[in-house]
Amino acid sequence: QVQLVESGGGLVQPGGSLRLSCKASGSISSINAMGWYRQAPGKERELVAGITSGGSTNYADSMNGRFTISGDNGKNTVFLQMNSLKPEDTAVYYCAAGRSVGRTTTYNYWGQGTQVTVSS
């Protein structure tokens, strides 16, 4: 089992920035990829970004370069830097971990989620 603990959410004004963190613990050897998803009220959960232990990243097209995912393998931690935040970025952000094989990543483990609210 892998446990994921997110931090860094909160309330921010439009145009502001936030940095989310997610630390993995437990059976770390069973995973080689981590990512962030988000779910807004009344909407389905959607992928924000993912990163492999080798440093390969992928992003949802809608992020338009505003979000950056990075990782610290030594600390089993992944970060999501979010800039130029918009009200429509308001959602619960979930950290995920799993295995990436080729172009396919399967996320098996999920964090509890952290609320991000963008509002003036």
Side-chain angles (χ1 to χ4, degrees):
Q1 291 291 321
V2 175
Q3 294 78 43
L4 303 172
V5 178
E6 303 113 330
S7 61
L11 173 65
V12 63
Q13 293 186 343
S17 299
L18 277 177
R19 188 191 195 209
L20 305 183
S21 301
C22 175
K23 183 174 178 60
S25 62
S27 301
I28 301 300
S29 60
S30 67
I31 62 172
N32 67 352
M34 294 180 69
W36 290 94
Y37 280 71
R38 70 183 185 184
Q39 187 166 20
K43 295 187 177 181
E44 295 185 353
R45 189 174 297 190
E46 63 174 351
L47 174 70
V48 175
I51 186 168
T52 68
S53 56
S56 298
T57 59
N58 65 287
Y59 295 89
D61 292 340
S62 60
M63 298 308 123
N64 293 329
R66 297 183 295 120
F67 293 3
T68 302
I69 190 169
S70 61
D72 184 336
N73 289 339
K75 296 183 179 180
N76 302 319
T77 301
V78 65
F79 306 96
L80 184 68
Q81 178 67 42
M82 305 185 292
N83 299 326
S84 302
L85 284 162
K86 306 174 181 179
E88 50 264 43
D89 294 317
T90 295
V92 178
Y93 284 70
Y94 296 92
C95 179
R99 295 289 298 179
S100 178
V101 179
R103 295 185 177 183
T104 301
T105 300
T106 302
Y107 292 109
N108 304 109
Y109 304 102
W110 296 87
Q112 292 298 308
T114 184
Q115 177 70 46
V116 171
T117 302
V118 184
S119 175
S120 56

